[in-house]
Amino acid sequence: EELEGEGLKRKRAWVANVVKSLFAIVYVEEETKSVRACHPSILDFIGGMLTAALPGASSKEKSLLEPASARIEDVHARMFEGCFTIMSREKRFNICDLKDSFRLNKEIPDLPSRINDHISEALQYGTLFWLLHLDRSSMRGSDKRILAFLNSSKALFWVEVLSLLGAVDRGILVLQDCARLFAGSEVAII
């Protein structure tokens, strides 16, 4: 490290900051110092964005494939857009096709396989991390779609997926963070 020039030190510091900012999705492997995805679902998520480039994809979906700028806020904005797009497209009532909605999750013996069959890893990721990316993006506190989302049936579908994933407590924190993010903006969280 003593032989490194200032330019290389700045590049290493920049990469370290990017990795630190993306802690929810990547980490540095201690032994090899390689940057790795925290969970294979992030690779599926990115792959899902790539499929948006197929014929018939909207220009908004195709824009998700454009190279992100070096500004980490822009990367998080793109990740938020991807999460929000997937949540809007894939969430639906009774997503796991359960026969009885009055049973507790722990009373459904095949729930793990139903989750695996009906809730994509990209949707799982988007459900859990959309607000983290919004919070760290340049759009922080200004996206009016959040209010529309939280006041629609899609919010109930979001809570359903959180419940199936055993993460309802995370939803409560997300709602609290939404109130904080949008405090003082023209978007009101009720």
Side-chain angles (χ1 to χ4, degrees):
E1 285 194 14
E2 290 178 22
L3 301 176
E4 288 182 5
E6 284 301 311
L8 186 55
K9 285 181 183 177
R10 278 194 303 273
K11 287 178 183 177
R12 285 181 186 260
W14 182 83
V15 169
N17 283 333
V18 169
V19 170
K20 184 178 177 184
S21 297
L22 294 173
F23 75 93
I25 59 174
V26 297
Y27 69 97
V28 176
E29 190 177 78
E30 287 299 318
E31 189 175 312
T32 64
K33 302 296 182 201
S34 300
V35 177
R36 303 278 187 205
C38 288
H39 192 277
S41 64
I42 189 62
L43 302 175
D44 290 334
F45 179 79
I46 292 168
M49 290 191 309
L50 292 174
T51 60
L54 296 173
S58 70
S59 59
K60 182 177 180 180
E61 290 171 326
K62 288 180 181 178
S63 73
L64 294 172
L65 301 172
E66 295 171 4
S69 79
R71 289 187 38 214
I72 196 66
E73 293 86 7
D74 293 340
V75 174
H76 280 293
R78 289 178 188 276
M79 291 297 292
F80 164 74
E81 289 292 341
C83 290
F84 209 77
T85 298
I86 286 171
M87 288 194 320
S88 297
R89 187 183 307 147
E90 294 186 22
K91 279 194 166 76
R92 64 177 175 81
F93 176 72
N94 195 13
I95 194 164
C96 285
D97 296 327
L98 301 174
K99 293 177 183 151
D100 184 357
S101 62
F102 295 103
R103 293 173 67 190
L104 298 174
N105 289 348
K106 66 183 178 183
E107 296 172 347
I108 304 168
D110 63 341
L111 185 61
S113 65
R114 285 179 176 271
I115 290 171
N116 192 45
D117 292 344
H118 297 284
I119 304 175
S120 71
E121 289 181 337
L123 179 56
Q124 291 179 39
Y125 180 87
T127 298
L128 296 171
F129 295 108
W130 64 271
L131 186 70
L132 177 136
H133 293 299
L134 177 64
D135 186 27
R136 294 180 179 190
S137 76
S138 53
M139 303 175 339
R140 181 180 315 124
S142 65
D143 198 307
K144 295 179 182 181
R145 293 175 299 170
I146 302 304
L147 180 61
F149 168 76
L150 291 173
N151 287 314
S152 74
S153 60
K154 294 275 186 189
L156 294 175
F157 305 156
W158 171 65
V159 172
E160 178 185 7
V161 173
L162 285 171
S163 173
L164 292 166
L165 297 176
V168 172
D169 56 332
R170 186 180 198 101
I172 293 167
L173 295 173
V174 165
L175 293 174
Q176 290 170 339
D177 284 347
C178 278
R180 175 187 53 80
L181 273 177
F182 291 97
S185 75
E186 38 182 276
V187 178
I189 302 296
I190 297 173

